[in-house]
Amino acid sequence: MLGRSLLGLLLTALPLLTSAATSWKQVKLGGGGGFVPGIVFSTKTKGVAYARTDIGGLYKLNSDDSWTPLLDWAGNDKWHNWGVDALALDPTNSNKVYIAVGMYTNSWDPNNGSILASSDGGSTWTEYPLSFKVGGNMPGR
């Protein structure tokens, strides 16, 4: 029942959405590959958005509509931090960002996941290791 009413609402709003003056362009993330399974916008600060990727890290939207990579500090020794499985922003402070990172849950990946927390918009991170694997690049992401 809820699904039908939601579908009806979306179908009613569709003409309004498609008639709006919108210009869509490709996003340049810096030559990487993979999926962008999530973009989260701040509810506190207009223009603040973060994009998580399955294998390429996390990106922050700039005022000129370009994207800045936030996990480039994670080199080959921290490759498991490249896969961002979940992303959350503090609803009262757009500088606080939380991500769940890890690449694979397969037995051949020796790494457990982590929660990374930033209080400065992703410039620096504190890592909280988890006791289980996180699969940012697993099927179903």
Side-chain angles (χ1 to χ4, degrees):
M1 191 71 131
L2 177 62
R4 287 184 182 168
S5 61
L6 182 58
L7 179 61
L9 178 64
L10 289 173
L11 291 175
T12 304
L14 189 59
L16 297 173
L17 295 173
T18 57
S19 66
T22 303
S23 174
W24 294 92
K25 299 176 189 171
Q26 292 184 352
V27 176
K28 183 175 180 182
L29 293 177
F35 294 97
V36 180
I39 300 175
V40 175
F41 292 86
S42 171
T43 57
K44 176 76 173 166
T45 307
K46 183 178 179 180
V48 174
Y50 296 85
R52 69 179 181 90
T53 68
D54 60 348
I55 195 168
L58 180 73
Y59 296 82
K60 184 176 183 180
L61 180 65
N62 300 313
S63 60
D64 65 354
D65 290 336
S66 64
W67 294 85
T68 297
L70 299 180
L71 296 181
D72 279 1
W73 56 266
N76 289 340
D77 61 328
K78 292 276 194 179
W79 64 273
H80 57 280
N81 286 348
W82 300 341
V84 181
D85 193 50
L87 162 64
L89 304 181
D90 185 315
T92 63
N93 183 343
S94 59
N95 284 318
K96 289 188 176 181
V97 184
Y98 305 92
I99 56 177
V101 296
M103 291 290 280
Y104 303 103
T105 58
N106 302 90
S107 61
W108 51 261
D109 181 352
N111 302 298
N112 284 336
S114 295
I115 299 295
L116 299 182
S118 176
S119 60
D120 57 12
S123 295
T124 61
W125 296 92
T126 302
E127 185 169 1
Y128 299 95
L130 299 171
S131 61
F132 54 89
K133 296 174 184 283
V134 174
N137 196 37
M138 292 298 293
R141 59 191 165 276

